Amino acid sequence: SYEEVLQGDPDYCQFVMQQAATGDSGPGFAAFADWLSTQGVSAQTLSTGSAGGSGTVSFGKYHGTSYEEVLQGDPDYCQFVMQQVPTGDSGAGFRAFADWLGTQDVSAQTLSMGSAGGSGAVSVGKYRGTSYEEVWQGDPDYCQFVMQQASTGDSNRALTAFADWLSAQSVSAQTLS
């Protein structure tokens, strides 16, 4: 149904609205665009995240998850989103999420420092959700592992963010061993 498409794929709905606006679309697009208009939807409301289904990620691994949940649970992913948008290679749903992140008074810089004044929290692995400080105090061997992995240049964003925090604490793989 139209409602299911609106809820499940706002990017496609935005595409339909844009195509219909050009006047170069078939009758199916026009009918769907007309229905979207009766729902108060426009290409603009879809791209800013204020249409039906707004506030939820419409792409990738967090598809269907609320923006707030993603921000709280995976700030490194939010940092990634904010860094990718300027490249211009992102879809409407991606841009809408980045726009929302922009309204939350967060930036790629503050996200990389963590959400609690630079303390941050581990967002992957066995310590997911645990503050950097707690892991640093409780498991220096794990911190050593993190520092070593990050130094290879072959680590993910979350691991690198934790290693950066450890570095800011003047921690090195050598001091932990």
Side-chain angles (χ1 to χ4, degrees):
S1 75
Y2 287 164
E3 183 66 35
E4 290 170 331
V5 175
L6 177 59
Q7 295 299 317
D9 197 348
D11 287 344
Y12 179 73
C13 295
Q14 181 179 23
F15 169 74
V16 167
M17 295 298 287
Q18 290 168 338
Q19 287 298 108
T22 67
D24 192 26
S25 60
F29 269 64
F32 187 29
D34 288 345
W35 180 85
L36 287 168
S37 293
T38 66
Q39 304 303 304
V41 175
S42 70
Q44 180 61 30
T45 59
L46 286 167
S47 68
T48 60
S50 58
S54 68
T56 58
V57 177
S58 62
F59 58 90
K61 69 180 184 178
Y62 289 112
H63 187 273
T65 305
S66 77
Y67 290 168
E68 186 67 33
E69 287 177 273
V70 177
L71 178 59
Q72 295 301 314
D74 196 346
D76 290 329
Y77 184 73
C78 296
Q79 178 184 8
F80 166 76
V81 168
M82 292 184 74
Q83 289 171 339
Q84 294 304 307
V85 168
T87 67
D89 292 335
S90 52
F94 202 88
R95 287 190 308 274
F97 183 38
D99 289 346
W100 180 86
L101 287 169
T103 68
Q104 301 307 299
D105 196 28
V106 295
S107 68
Q109 180 63 30
T110 58
L111 285 169
S112 69
M113 295 301 291
S115 58
S119 61
V122 178
S123 61
V124 297
K126 68 181 184 178
Y127 289 112
R128 181 180 181 92
T130 306
S131 75
Y132 291 164
E133 182 78 27
E134 288 176 78
V135 177
W136 180 36
Q137 296 298 323
D139 194 344
D141 290 338
Y142 183 75
C143 295
Q144 181 178 13
F145 164 77
V146 167
M147 295 296 288
Q148 290 169 340
Q149 289 297 308
S151 71
T152 68
D154 192 30
S155 59
N156 65 30
R157 291 182 312 278
L159 198 69
T160 301
F162 185 26
D164 289 347
W165 182 88
L166 288 167
S167 292
Q169 311 309 306
S170 299
V171 175
S172 69
Q174 291 77 31
T175 61
L176 289 167
S177 53

